[in-house]
Amino acid sequence: SILQFLLLPIAGLVFAIAFIISGIVIPIAITRIELKIARDAVLIRNQISSEVFHLIHNASQLRVLDLTDEQISKISQSEAKRVEVESRTSIWAGISSSLNGISSGAAVFMGLVAGVVAYSQGGLSGQMIAVVTLLPWASAEIIGTFSLVASARARTTMARERIEEFLNKDTQVEVFESVQLTNPVQMQLTDVSVGWNEELVVQNLNFEFSKGEIFGLVGPSGSGKSTLASAILRLIPHKGSIKIDG
């Protein structure tokens, strides 16, 4: 019949369009979009690293000029921007999944309609009906993974670019066999306690550095090494006495 004659080609055309969309267009688009997002995120992470380095390296100057809070605010804004940019990956993953579902669903639906009409009019055998109706369904499972492959390819490409950038850097690192202290100082800590948000991580610490001595501070993560260093540099308040050269 005319209906059967029209439906089978239309079902084939819909299946071909769905294959092109899910198997070619969406994976290519996802690769390009995720690469752009990853590159933007790298730039923002580099900016955050630069801002944190500026905060640490110029901590005393920022503290004197009362600009510490402003610099911390810049870091927070950059971090919020990073989160916003990287969240786009999830948004586009959801969009690609939706488009895959729509295109695959259309192909399956047209296959079912064409199969039912052809079978009811005796135009196809039972085996061919099964092929017409189940081929789009089975293909959707395979083609749907193309977007995942494209996403993995984007991450791999970005990782390769970062490795190549690192390897191509012509950076000379000067190595010193020893470090000479030109102006050693004496430091004495007496009953020093320090922490964050009223929770002490270092309590009643007492030790003394004589001029020219070198000490290593060793401890597990969170034991207070960086906190103690921040207190010695006058970056955070502390209890007790910290004297440098008296």
Side-chain angles (χ1 to χ4, degrees):
S1 68
I2 296 178
L3 182 61
Q4 177 182 335
F5 178 78
L6 292 176
L7 277 178
L8 288 177
I10 291 175
L13 179 62
V14 171
F15 175 73
I17 293 174
F19 178 83
I20 292 172
I21 292 175
S22 299
I24 299 175
V25 176
I26 293 178
I28 292 175
I30 286 297
T31 299
R32 294 182 177 179
I33 290 171
E34 290 202 5
L35 274 176
K36 184 179 185 308
I37 292 174
R39 287 168 180 149
D40 291 342
V42 167
L43 292 176
I44 296 174
R45 283 197 292 268
N46 291 340
Q47 179 182 347
I48 293 174
S49 298
S50 177
E51 290 172 347
V52 171
F53 176 80
H54 177 65
L55 174 65
I56 296 174
H57 186 68
N58 302 299
S60 57
Q61 294 92 326
L62 292 172
R63 191 177 182 87
V64 170
L65 296 174
D66 196 23
L67 296 176
T68 303
D69 291 340
E70 180 179 339
Q71 184 65 19
I72 293 175
S73 177
K74 287 182 180 179
I75 296 172
S76 299
Q77 292 173 4
S78 298
E79 177 64 17
K81 186 177 179 181
R82 181 195 64 79
V83 172
E84 188 271 331
V85 168
E86 292 185 347
S87 66
R88 296 176 193 169
T89 302
S90 300
I91 295 174
W92 282 105
I95 292 174
S96 67
S97 297
S98 300
L99 292 176
N100 279 327
I102 293 172
S103 60
S104 299
V108 171
F109 176 75
M110 287 303 301
L112 288 172
V113 172
V116 169
V117 172
Y119 180 75
S120 64
Q121 297 182 2
L124 292 176
S125 64
Q127 292 84 353
M128 289 303 300
I129 293 296
V131 171
V132 170
T133 55
L134 296 180
L135 179 61
W137 194 291
S139 300
E141 295 293 327
I142 299 174
I143 298 173
T145 62
F146 288 9
S147 295
L148 299 177
V149 174
S151 181
R153 179 177 179 272
R155 291 193 297 269
T156 303
T157 302
M158 194 62 208
R160 176 181 56 80
E161 290 180 357
R162 294 177 66 183
I163 293 173
E164 289 178 349
E165 180 184 1
F166 174 78
L167 294 177
N168 292 332
K169 280 186 176 181
D170 186 17
T171 304
Q172 298 295 328
V173 179
E174 189 173 1
V175 179
F176 298 92
E177 294 184 359
S178 62
V179 177
Q180 299 296 328
L181 298 177
T182 57
N183 187 25
V185 297
Q186 181 181 15
M187 183 168 60
Q188 183 178 16
L189 280 69
T190 306
D191 295 330
V192 173
S193 298
V194 64
W196 300 93
N197 298 326
E198 300 183 356
E199 180 179 351
L200 297 178
V201 293
V202 177
Q203 300 185 49
N204 302 322
L205 182 63
N206 295 274
F207 67 83
E208 180 177 344
F209 292 141
S210 299
K211 289 186 177 182
E213 289 184 320
I214 299 176
F215 282 81
L217 192 61
V218 181
S221 178
S223 60
K225 302 183 298 297
S226 300
T227 303
L228 178 60
S230 298
I232 293 174
L233 294 173
R234 305 294 197 272
L235 297 178
I236 58 175
H238 64 276
K239 297 178 181 179
S241 172
I242 299 177
K243 294 181 179 181
I244 300 177
D245 277 349

